[in-house]
Amino acid sequence: MQTEATIIEWVEVMGSRALQGLLVLSAFTLAGCFTGAGSLDAEFRATRALLSAERYEEALPKAEKGLSRAERSRNQADIWRFRLLQVDILIGQRLAAKTLALLDGFGPPPDGLEWKEVRGRLLLLRGRASYTLNRLGEAQDSLARAAVVAREAGAESLAAEVLMRQGSLLVRQSRYDDARRAFQKVADTAVRLGEPYQEASAIGNMGYSLLTESRHDEAIPWFERAVTLFTKLGAGDSVARTHGNLGVCYFRLGDYDNARLHYQNADHWFARTGNKDSQQIWIGNAANVSYQTGDYVAAEEAYKRALEIARQVPSLVWIPRWLANLAVTSLQLGKWDAAEAYNNEALEKMRQSKDPNWEPTALVNGGRIEEGRGRLDRAGENFRAALEKPAEDPGVALDAHAGLARLSIDGGRIQEAEAEFRNTVALIEKRGARLPKAEYKLSYLSSLIRFYRDYVDFLVSIGQAERALGVAESSRSHVLLERLEGGPVAARHGSGDFRRLARRTQSVLLEYWLGPVQSYVWVVTPERVAIHKLPPADTIKRQVDRYLAVIAGGRNPLEVARETGRALYSMILEGALSDSAGASRFVIVPDGILHSLPLESLPAKEDSGKFWIEFATVSVAPSLNFVAGREDARKRPGDGVLIIGEPSSSSPQYPRLEFAAQEIDSIAATMGKAKPAVFRGDAATPDSYRGSGPERYAWIHLTAHAAVNRESPLDSAVILAGPVGSNRLLARDVMALPLTADLVTISACRSAGGKSYAGEGLVGFAWAFLRAGARQVVAGLWDVNDRSTAELMAVMYREIAEGRRPADALRTAKLVLIHSGGAYVKPFYWAPFQLYVGSAQ
């Protein structure tokens, strides 16, 4: 894909009282000169109202008409206020180059103290236009001068607006805390002066700064506040942009339902305001969601709408991007002629814009088109030509190599295909941690996953199931490497290592691999490795979604969805368990949607009136390579307990956990012999964790919300006490502090934005603690702020204190809830807590 969710920057929004000072000046100067409905004063007010409502197309001709009348009257005050009004409208329309040309043509305003604010606003507008054109040095200079003039003029509203634009520059410089302090000051000033538009703009900028810092969960409530304020003001473009940025937050968090909803809202509002240039961007982003979730028919329809509007604008930047995405989508749908037409036009448009980066991608697409048509020689020519072209996106080479390997398979040249796959793996490993540009990271990950899927399918097809398992594991290592922003790749291990791992853990290992055409599960016992074919990923996902919907609704699936549960059990577990020789301990390596499904919540084959947990102890591993590589040379853990929790709430998004105090008191009492170190309330801060010497403890317990980031696991965080901006214990901070703990528990996990199932993102979060050295991590797939969590944790730690292994202790705690009857039998209360293992010990 050529574009991911695209952010419209908040710094382009003006404040509704931006011209208040000029209005006062003009009214004083012109008192008595104009009266009645036709007065320039009334015309100015009416035009400014249109600007405040962001009705730019209506406002501009009225501003130009007012300026013409003012110039005929030769009244300098009127001339300047209409000039600045005209320029503000042009900036609202994002016509920055035209704005600067007008400003250059105006010349300086008259001398005198009463004209200082006019000079300040000229500098502000110049700074805004320069920023839009990415001339950041010029913008910074103009805004700094505007700030001085605003102070000298005593123009508080102008000073606040200048500060907001300076805040946007601070965001570009990655000085996020300084930027947010600026935006907060602007918001406070706007409230005091009664300027709701400026307040909404500052709040939106606050959200944008958090989004830019990948703190998507924290950005969401700021954007929600901004959209409420803008809606009340009738500022349609800003309402639309706010929804678009909310869509970006949810898209980055993997919450595609909410992302689609907000993108559609952005489309709706931009359609109302007639802003077609912005409308087509968010329609395209909604198409990206459909593409990402495999709904290619919906993606095709949306990309066509975006392209149609982009042609109307016309948008020379976006037309080729939507053409490129339509080409890829048509490939997925097997529409070879349409794919070729879109691909060729996209290539032509890119060449016209002198963008050389598209040609290698177009050649790969051309190869896939010819491959789909069965013209294998032509396909090979395209793939080889793509490899000869320099490409910034490293995913292009992967796709070309994978294409050549498929052609060898189709031609029956098995050894040639294997050599192509092996050589490409060597290139991937040579590349190592040299990550691509941020704009190519997602596309490279997609290419990486597609390549390994092809390789795994190939090996299974030639009867090399055990080697296929090794390749699948290599894939997990490299994908995690990319998502964790570099670092060492786990050493590769073979099937013999995995059988030994099964023996050491006294468990059967189940590794899942979900593909668009064929899925698999490998069953690893101490004696052998077996493989079972499963349905395609989409088929499994539909069944899992139905089952999870029952659980999320707080219902008992054994009562209301038993047949769905049985079908799911048969689909993903039954075959694997037939090779498990009656085992009762399992380590699961999930894939895709299975990251979000607690398998132990399925109905058991032995008794469909009971959950599988009654017959099995289940743990989760991010990767068998990782666990197998950490069996030896482990440091002896300490013998203490570190408890951090019940933090003072610093955000309505993360409210106080009602039963946290009960949970902490119970654990501290149960683990009393270990002399727990407890930090709670205002003391439960990230600094408390860092300063406590976490490497000294055998058990670390965190009772707090957590924000899980699927795309960037290192930006996941435990939300503790302290001011916003300093209350997050980031996964990247966790990894920097070595641990020797037997167990780390995060007992009240919540994925950002209220999404229930954290899934794959939670694995990445747990991985950070495992990489730091923890042997095992307990974390929750969804938030259960209920007394049941405190009771479950109390039983788990009681069992640990009596010498039980964490996996057995957690299972016992879950069974206690189930057997207690009443509401707690429902998986909603006990199933989210998963044990992630990082060591065979």
Side-chain angles (χ1 to χ4, degrees), residues 163-164 166-186 202 205-215 218 222 686-687 690 722-728 730 733:
L163 181 60
M164 184 158 61
Q166 290 176 314
S168 70
L169 281 170
L170 292 170
V171 172
R172 293 289 291 270
Q173 296 164 0
S174 300
R175 294 170 57 186
Y176 301 112
D177 289 341
D178 290 339
R180 283 190 285 275
R181 279 191 287 270
F183 296 142
Q184 188 62 62
K185 185 175 180 180
V186 173
N205 271 301
M206 187 78 79
Y208 176 70
S209 71
L210 290 164
L211 187 158
T212 306
E213 201 180 356
S214 294
R215 291 164 61 173
E218 287 186 274
W222 291 97
D687 284 341
R690 289 187 284 261
V724 173
S726 304
N727 64 334
R728 299 164 67 89
L730 291 171
D733 296 334

Side-chain angles (χ1 to χ4, degrees), residues 31 34 39 94 173 254 291 296 304 471 532 755 758 782:
F34 296 97
S39 74
R94 301 180 178 276
Q173 296 164 0
Y291 187 95
Y296 302 120
K304 283 181 177 178
V471 169
H532 292 266
K755 182 174 169 61
W782 58 85

Side-chain angles (χ1 to χ4, degrees), residues 282-468:
W282 298 109
I283 292 171
N285 280 327
N288 290 346
V289 176
S290 297
Y291 187 95
Q292 185 76 17
T293 55
D295 189 350
Y296 302 120
V297 173
E300 179 187 38
E301 181 182 347
Y303 284 136
K304 283 181 177 178
R305 278 191 65 213
L307 176 61
E308 180 183 2
I309 296 173
R311 291 191 195 275
Q312 292 172 10
V313 171
S315 174
L316 300 181
V317 172
W318 288 100
I319 289 172
R321 296 189 185 188
W322 302 140
L323 286 166
N325 286 2
L326 275 166
V328 175
T329 306
S330 298
L331 279 169
Q332 295 291 349
L333 293 169
K335 296 182 177 181
W336 313 119
D337 291 346
E340 183 176 45
Y342 289 131
N343 195 48
N344 289 342
E345 188 180 356
L347 180 57
E348 180 186 351
K349 297 291 186 186
M350 292 285 184
R351 284 171 174 166
Q352 289 174 0
S353 64
K354 298 182 180 180
D355 182 352
N357 295 318
W358 169 245
E359 188 169 2
T361 301
L363 287 166
V364 169
N365 287 343
R368 292 176 63 192
I369 292 166
E370 298 296 357
E371 182 184 359
R373 289 169 166 165
R375 301 199 290 233
L376 304 188
D377 289 343
R378 291 187 182 182
E381 291 172 5
N382 276 274
F383 290 137
R384 283 186 285 272
L387 289 171
E388 293 173 0
K389 298 285 185 180
E392 285 190 352
D393 182 356
V396 172
L398 281 185
D399 289 338
H401 282 298
L404 290 172
R406 289 194 304 273
L407 296 180
S408 296
I409 296 169
D410 291 340
R413 302 185 301 276
I414 302 304
Q415 290 183 339
E416 186 179 309
E418 179 141 12
E420 189 70 53
F421 281 123
R422 283 179 174 271
N423 291 338
T424 307
V425 169
L427 289 174
I428 293 170
E429 292 180 346
K430 182 179 179 181
R431 201 178 150 271
R434 288 182 289 119
L435 297 175
K437 290 183 178 180
E439 62 189 291
Y440 297 124
K441 185 171 182 178
L442 288 179
S443 63
Y444 177 70
L445 275 173
S446 297
S447 298
L448 192 66
I449 292 167
R450 282 195 301 270
F451 169 79
Y452 276 111
R453 280 176 180 161
D454 285 347
Y455 197 4
V456 167
D457 286 342
F458 165 70
L459 290 172
V460 173
S461 72
I462 63 172
Q464 298 286 331
E466 292 191 25
R467 284 186 57 207

Side-chain angles (χ1 to χ4, degrees), residues 66-80:
L67 178 57
S68 178
R69 287 185 61 194
E71 288 173 341
R72 288 198 301 271
S73 74
R74 299 184 181 181
N75 185 292
Q76 288 297 308
D78 276 336
I79 290 171
W80 278 103

Side-chain angles (χ1 to χ4, degrees), residues 626-643:
F626 181 74
V627 180
R630 297 183 65 193
E631 294 181 32
D632 304 314
R634 299 303 312 280
K635 292 182 180 179
R636 178 181 176 82
D639 56 2
V641 182
L642 174 63
I643 303 174

Side-chain angles (χ1 to χ4, degrees), residues 44 347 357 607 648 820 827:
F44 177 84
L347 180 57
N357 295 318
D607 184 345
S648 304
S820 68

